Amino acid sequence: MLLWIAIAIAIIYGFLKKFSDGLSDTSLWIAKIMMSEGDQNILESKGLLKANQAVLMEGWPSNILFITYLLPIASIIIGFIYSWWGGIIMMLSVALCGSVAEFFFRRPLTYYVLIYLSRMANRFADYKKNNDSVRADAIELFSDKIKEILTIYFGSGIGVPTSKKINENPYGDIYFLLSKNN
């Protein structure tokens, strides 16, 4: 029974992995293009980048990332509890499920941008409801930038940027992915 549970956890990991990677990479890319071009020379630019990403990931998106990191560990541990070879099989199963997810589950960039736009709209409404105008104004600025990104990339079919493309993308350059894919 334990081995079946471990296999089920590995399969759930496979379904969530690509979604989690898409959320993470898109949020990092959006955070990078929200910064201005001169911000890369600031010593705290990495911290500012992570702060912008944290604003986007607040709430359930960060929980998806956390759960996706825990699932393979749980699967492997349960496999080892079952038997020593069960843990080894779970290592292979987790790698296989992750690879299959990378291959089959592809979403365009705009899918994740829409998720973040809806998150910002929900947070804006919550802040307005609680009469927190400072946070509402800050979220409105984020929402406007995300709307601009969505307008530019809507219908382009461009996928989520890889880590390499995110590193190559200059700070504040919203059109970088369009120029790379033409």
Side-chain angles (χ1 to χ4, degrees), residues 69-86:
Y69 291 134
L70 289 181
L71 287 176
I73 296 168
S75 177
I76 293 168
I77 289 173
I78 292 172
F80 273 119
I81 290 173
Y82 177 75
S83 174
W84 66 270
W85 54 266

Side-chain angles (χ1 to χ4, degrees), residues 112-124:
Y112 297 102
V113 173
L114 279 170
I115 288 173
Y116 287 122
L117 185 60
S118 69
R119 290 285 308 138
M120 293 298 119
N122 290 341
R123 288 174 62 191
F124 178 78

Side-chain angles (χ1 to χ4, degrees), residues 157-172:
I158 294 175
V160 175
T162 61
S163 298
K164 182 181 175 188
K165 283 186 180 177
I166 293 171
N167 288 334
E168 291 174 1
N169 195 352
Y171 284 80

Side-chain angles (χ1 to χ4, degrees), residues 2 9 19 45 56 93 124 129 132 142 149 162 172 174 176:
L2 283 177
I9 292 172
F19 182 67
S45 65
L56 292 166
S93 297
F124 178 78
K129 183 178 82 174
D132 191 350
F142 265 86
I149 293 167
T162 61
I174 197 168
F176 179 78

Side-chain angles (χ1 to χ4, degrees), residues 10-88:
I11 291 170
I12 292 169
Y13 164 75
F15 283 119
L16 286 179
K17 183 184 183 331
K18 188 63 178 176
F19 182 67
S20 171
D21 290 348
L23 285 174
S24 176
D25 292 342
T26 303
S27 67
L28 183 59
W29 176 73
I30 290 172
K32 190 167 186 178
I33 63 174
M34 283 187 161
M35 296 175 69
S36 64
E37 291 178 34
D39 287 345
Q40 66 191 17
N41 299 327
I42 300 173
L43 291 174
E44 296 85 14
S45 65
K46 292 274 187 201
L48 291 171
L49 187 64
K50 290 296 180 186
N52 281 347
Q53 187 180 16
V55 168
L56 292 166
M57 295 296 293
E58 190 263 329
W60 67 261
S62 63
N63 295 340
I64 296 289
L65 265 61
F66 182 68
I67 290 169
T68 305
Y69 291 134
L70 289 181
L71 287 176
I73 296 168
S75 177
I76 293 168
I77 289 173
I78 292 172
F80 273 119
I81 290 173
Y82 177 75
S83 174
W84 66 270
W85 54 266
I88 295 171

